[in-house]
Amino acid sequence: MTAPLPLGSTIGIIGGGQLGRMLAMAAARLGYRTVVLEPQVDCPAAQVANGQIVAAYDDPAALDELASASAVVTYEFENVPVVAAAHLARSVAVYPPARALEVAQDRVAEKTFLNGIGIATADFRAVENDEELAAALHAFDGSGILKTRRMGYDGKGQMVFRNMTSGGFDGACSSLGNVPLILESFVPFEREISIIAARGVDGAVAAFDPAENIHRNGILASSSVPAAAGESTALAARDAARRILDALDYVGVIGVEFFVMADGSLLANEIAPRVHNSGHWTEAACVVSQFEQHIRAVAGLPLGDANRHSDCVMENLIGDDIDKVPALLAEQDVAMHLYGKAEARPGRKMGHFTRISPRR
Ligand code: AMP
């Protein structure tokens, strides 16, 4: 696809959560229709999309239906089966490319890719059993974080070890489900930042300002912009994002999370081949949000201006936080965004709000 998608075209979205919902809303604002592939009926995205295909993400008939209904297909989560993306790509443009899914789905492949293009990460070892874990912990002086290589999110599937020089970790691998694991050296970071960047079909790149992120119980709690990390750290984050986008011949929005060390240097932690929770602030503090930017990219439109017009703090509303909404709505300078989820379970992201203030 080279020419921009004509107005009224349909964009297919795999995944029906809040990210798909916000993509569908951004697509509608640009005059496009959306159809969502998602097994859960009345999911957050389907509530605002033009249609839903209710089926599993790897159902071949459903994928064919999605391909024939769509001028381009994108996705809202990184665990879309690579075979599904490859199947779709035979008959319709799929952005971001399947290679980005491959890299982002496996923490070992991800770090190997990043190191290969000159982007530093924590030291790591692939681990399959307790003996390999013992050897890897020994190499990292007894401290590290054991994670599942695949399907981890919001800190799930992780185990922290500190000063474990003399055993005591028997059964660790089986408690994580006897799946392929990675031990990462423990990073004594000063802060965590992320950058949201986009690459167009024509190779143009635009990056938003890095956000400073606070996690609670492994879940993103807040993102503040500007980040306290200095200008050279921000430039390094922008440079890393550009190199990742170019190396993957990427189209769409990507999120890259980094640890910032005491000397301001960066270690990349994770890449997300999709719009990202730490970029939700862009809808309140930039003229073009990350969601519109993604739709522009996959539709072959020019990328929008990624400069912020305001400083801001975005906070997630998790579980019972939803009860704070009436009081927040009474405040000035708060942009509220709720996801249409009926039930507020602990740990469930129900919405977010962004408090803006004049740009310093
Ligand atoms: P992840 O699922 O990799 O994003 O990890 C969730 C959170 O755990 C990160 O945002 C960090 O706060 C922390 N974390 C992850 N990996 C490491 C590491 N290698 N060293 C120190 N903290 C980490």
Side-chain angles (χ1 to χ4, degrees), residues 107 122 145 147 152-156 158 184-189 192 215 218 257 259 269-270:
R107 293 181 191 273
I145 303 197
K147 304 179 180 178
Y153 69 97
D154 285 349
K156 292 191 171 57
Q158 302 193 5
E184 299 179 8
S185 63
F186 195 83
V187 179
F189 59 82
E192 293 185 82
H215 294 89
E257 297 179 25
F259 301 127
N269 176 35
E270 239 176 16

Side-chain angles (χ1 to χ4, degrees), residues 117-141:
I117 59 169
I119 297 173
T121 62
D123 288 335
F124 64 97
R125 297 272 196 286
V127 166
E128 297 272 343
N129 52 49
D130 288 352
E131 292 76 58
E132 290 178 5
L133 174 60
L137 270 175
H138 184 72
F140 296 157
D141 293 329

Side-chain angles (χ1 to χ4, degrees), residues 13-21 23 74-78 274:
I13 301 173
I14 306 177
Q18 63 266 18
L19 301 180
R21 175 183 178 98
L23 287 172
T74 189
Y75 43 86
E76 60 130 35
F77 69 114
E78 62 270 39
R274 53 171 170 78

